[in-house]
Amino acid sequence: QVQLVESGGGLVQAGDSLRLSCIASGRTFSTYVMGWFRRAPGKEREFVGAISWNGGTKYADSVKGRFTISRDSAKNTVYLEMNNLKAEDTAVYYCAASTIGSSRFVPLTESGYAYWGQGTQVTVSS
């Protein structure tokens, strides 16, 4: 069992930056693919990005070049650095852990992730 707890959300203005953190319980954190998803008001949850155990990353086109995912296995923590935020980035952001990914493959859909955090709200005012 893995427990994930996100933090770092808040209200910012367009163009600002924000860093989300996700702390994971469990001894095998370093072997998980970690993903970030988001759900905007009235929309389905969508893939934002993911990082494999060896640091390889994949991003949605909508955030590529603005968002960066990193992980610190010593702290069992994965980060989502968000720069140049836009109003359309407003959403609840979720951290998720996958046990089926690998160094070469990161799941891009919800079904690939077994564990989820409770989410943290990010609101970008324009």
Side-chain angles (χ1 to χ4, degrees):
Q1 187 73 14
V2 177
Q3 291 187 330
L4 305 173
V5 179
E6 305 98 332
S7 63
L11 172 63
V12 296
Q13 294 186 337
D16 285 352
S17 297
L18 203 60
R19 187 177 79 161
L20 306 183
S21 300
C22 172
I23 298 177
S25 65
R27 300 179 181 177
T28 57
F29 168 81
S30 61
T31 66
Y32 295 142
V33 169
M34 300 299 297
W36 285 96
F37 288 75
R38 67 185 181 186
R39 177 181 282 135
K43 296 186 177 181
E44 294 185 351
R45 189 156 54 184
E46 64 175 1
F47 174 79
V48 173
I51 185 167
S52 66
W53 64 269
N54 66 346
T57 54
K58 179 74 173 179
Y59 298 97
D61 288 343
S62 58
V63 306
K64 200 173 296 182
R66 299 188 299 121
F67 290 12
T68 302
I69 298 175
S70 61
R71 66 191 299 162
D72 185 339
S73 293
K75 296 181 178 180
N76 276 16
T77 302
V78 62
Y79 303 98
L80 178 64
E81 183 76 35
M82 304 183 291
N83 297 315
N84 190 23
L85 282 162
K86 305 176 181 180
E88 51 263 41
D89 294 319
T90 294
V92 177
Y93 284 73
Y94 299 89
C95 171
S98 171
T99 58
I100 65 172
S102 70
S103 62
R104 296 184 177 184
F105 165 72
V106 295
L108 304 182
T109 62
E110 292 184 51
S111 61
Y113 294 82
Y115 305 103
W116 292 83
Q118 82 290 348
T120 185
Q121 176 71 48
V122 173
T123 303
V124 184
S125 64
S126 59

